[in-house]
Amino acid sequence: MQSFVYAANPVRVIFGSGTLAGLPDEVERLGLSRVLILATPQQAQSAQDLASRLGARAAGVFAGAVMHTPVDVTEAALKVVSELGVDGLVAVGGGSTTGLAKAIALRTDLPQIVVPTTYAGSEMTPILGETRDGRKVTQSSPKVLPEVVIYDVDLTLGLPVALSVTSGINAIAHAVEALYAKDANPVVTLMAEEAIGVMARALPGIAADPHGRQARSDALSAAWLCGLCLGSVGMSLHHKLCHTLGGAFNLPHAETHTAVLPHALAYNAAGVPAAMARIERALGTADAAGALFDLASGLGATMALREFGMPRDGIDLALELAMSNPYWNPRALDRDGLRALLVHAFEGRRP
Ligand code: NAD
């Protein structure tokens, strides 16, 4: 018998093609009249487009979001929020932009409308990771959960294939770890298995035809489910390792998840037979770790952490960090096993 606690996060989700047209209505529904639109510098034009759609309801654009939500960027955005008398936030972009919206909401309680353009899934979680003096600290608060999420497949058609693949594997990682979470529950388990299969089938379709709406739509809806998984149950070894590696060596987020996931899964496999059966069924394989490695590398992903600039002597530091801060994992953390995992991910070997 499985005992569980289930709580749903109250987010209004709008999904489809052309759904961005509904943004002004959503702003109105929330009673907002002066929203600040957030983006990265690379997506400043998308933010301007949204501002044009909103007309007088747009108070301004802040296109300064960067990876890992540094507190100084949040503080610069907060200044703009107060100068412009902003009463709501609209974030258009990936996890970095969503992170900025969440960081502002944490401090101001301003309502957020998020328009995701990657598969990171942050928009569905009450989790915020922020970086101060090079250290990333994660917290969970209902204050950072967005009020509305508008998924518009059209905005993902131009997501470069390489980032689509790694972002898609990043999403799969949320679902994989949800299947063996300590606080797993039947609803999240159903979503996770479904999402892994849909995403794994969508990614080759995206690589073959990046503008194909069906594969893009499948990937985005799977990303939504994966984000729900991440926001509902606790993550284990894989997410903790990626967090540690990203913070210690400033490694790129989705790419790091992609290189680590097959090895973290191989490490945990023996301890989680029921989860492995679901992952293997979703992927149509008898070797989930190998299949994920083949999926990502076959679509051109870089599978060796050393190629992202991690130094070889960083393996020892990563091992110490991973062992020194204990957390729940379905298989006990043993030094030799973790070292082997890190060496394999560093070298990019197939698990
Ligand atoms: P990202 O948001 O940093 O985006 C990467 C780059 O791609 C950026 O330059 C962005 O502007 C660009 N981009 C995004 N969408 C695009 C599109 N459709 N077309 C062209 N370019 C596009 O990357 P990410 O992987 O989405 O997010 C990573 C960040 O999100 C990390 O800081 C990570 O910690 C955080 N995150 C947080 C959670 C959470 O629940 N708190 C979950 C997942 C990720």
Side-chain angles (χ1 to χ4, degrees):
M1 194 197 99
Q2 180 191 17
S3 306
F4 59 87
V5 174
Y6 174 74
N9 289 324
V11 184
R12 176 175 157 88
V13 173
I14 297 147
F15 187 98
S17 165
T19 43
L20 194 56
L23 177 65
D25 289 349
E26 294 303 320
V27 168
E28 199 177 332
R29 257 189 89 256
L30 291 173
L32 307 176
S33 56
R34 294 190 60 76
V35 299
L36 182 65
I37 300 160
L38 307 170
T40 61
Q42 294 80 7
Q43 289 179 288
Q45 188 54 51
S46 300
Q48 290 297 347
D49 293 348
L50 266 60
S52 310
R53 282 175 189 264
L54 289 173
R57 287 182 190 271
V61 165
F62 181 90
V66 294
M67 188 89 86
H68 302 312
T69 325
V71 171
D72 55 339
V73 172
T74 302
E75 282 164 358
L78 283 167
K79 250 182 97 189
V80 176
V81 164
S82 106
E83 279 164 12
L84 296 178
V86 164
D87 63 2
L89 305 166
V90 175
V92 58
S96 297
T97 306
T98 306
L100 175 60
K102 288 171 151 184
I104 299 171
L106 179 73
R107 291 159 175 85
T108 59
D109 234 348
L110 286 175
Q112 307 166 69
I113 300 176
V114 176
V115 184
T117 63
T118 70
Y119 309 131
S122 174
E123 65 281 357
M124 296 310 298
T125 84
I127 306 162
L128 169 65
E130 294 185 283
T131 312
R132 189 190 293 271
D133 303 327
R135 245 191 96 227
K136 191 161 178 179
V137 178
T138 298
Q139 61 180 300
S140 183
S141 162
K143 273 189 176 184
V144 310
L145 187 73
E147 277 68 11
V148 177
V149 174
I150 302 178
Y151 288 106
D152 188 334
V153 173
D154 300 3
L155 297 184
T156 65
L157 299 179
L159 183 65
V161 168
L163 184 52
S164 302
V165 170
T166 54
S167 193
I169 302 284
N170 181 199
I172 288 178
H174 309 330
V176 161
E177 291 228 292
L179 284 171
Y180 53 66
K182 191 162 106 181
D183 51 352
N185 66 68
V187 172
V188 165
T189 296
L190 280 176
M191 291 193 294
E193 182 178 340
E194 166 76 6
I196 291 168
V198 172
M199 183 65 88
R201 288 188 295 276
L203 294 179
I206 289 172
D209 177 13
H211 284 79
R213 271 202 172 62
Q214 189 57 54
R216 285 293 188 185
S217 165
D218 290 347
L220 193 59
S221 66
W224 165 48
L225 297 181
C226 292
L228 275 169
C229 292
L230 175 68
S232 303
V233 298
M235 298 286 114
S236 329
L237 177 66
H238 169 76
H239 280 76
K240 305 294 177 193
L241 270 183
C242 291
H243 182 88
T244 299
L245 290 164
F249 310 111
N250 195 28
L251 304 182
H253 176 80
E255 292 87 338
T256 301
H257 272 264
T258 302
V260 171
L261 181 63
H263 305 290
L265 185 57
Y267 180 92
N268 278 338
V272 293
M276 292 309 290
R278 286 187 182 273
I279 299 165
E280 287 169 0
R281 191 161 62 202
L283 295 173
T285 175
D287 170 17
L292 284 173
F293 184 95
D294 294 344
L295 174 67
S297 61
L299 296 175
T302 301
M303 302 306 286
L305 293 175
R306 63 176 154 73
E307 290 185 41
F308 303 128
M310 178 176 164
R312 183 171 290 277
D313 58 11
I315 293 174
D316 286 331
L317 175 60
L319 182 61
E320 287 319 313
L321 291 172
M323 296 293 299
S324 67
N325 188 5
Y327 42 84
W328 186 83
N329 189 58
R331 179 183 156 192
L333 301 183
D334 82 82
R335 191 169 279 276
D336 289 347
L338 275 189
R339 174 182 288 282
L341 184 170
L342 286 165
V343 168
H344 286 169
F346 180 80
E347 300 286 358
R349 286 184 213 145
R350 190 178 188 277

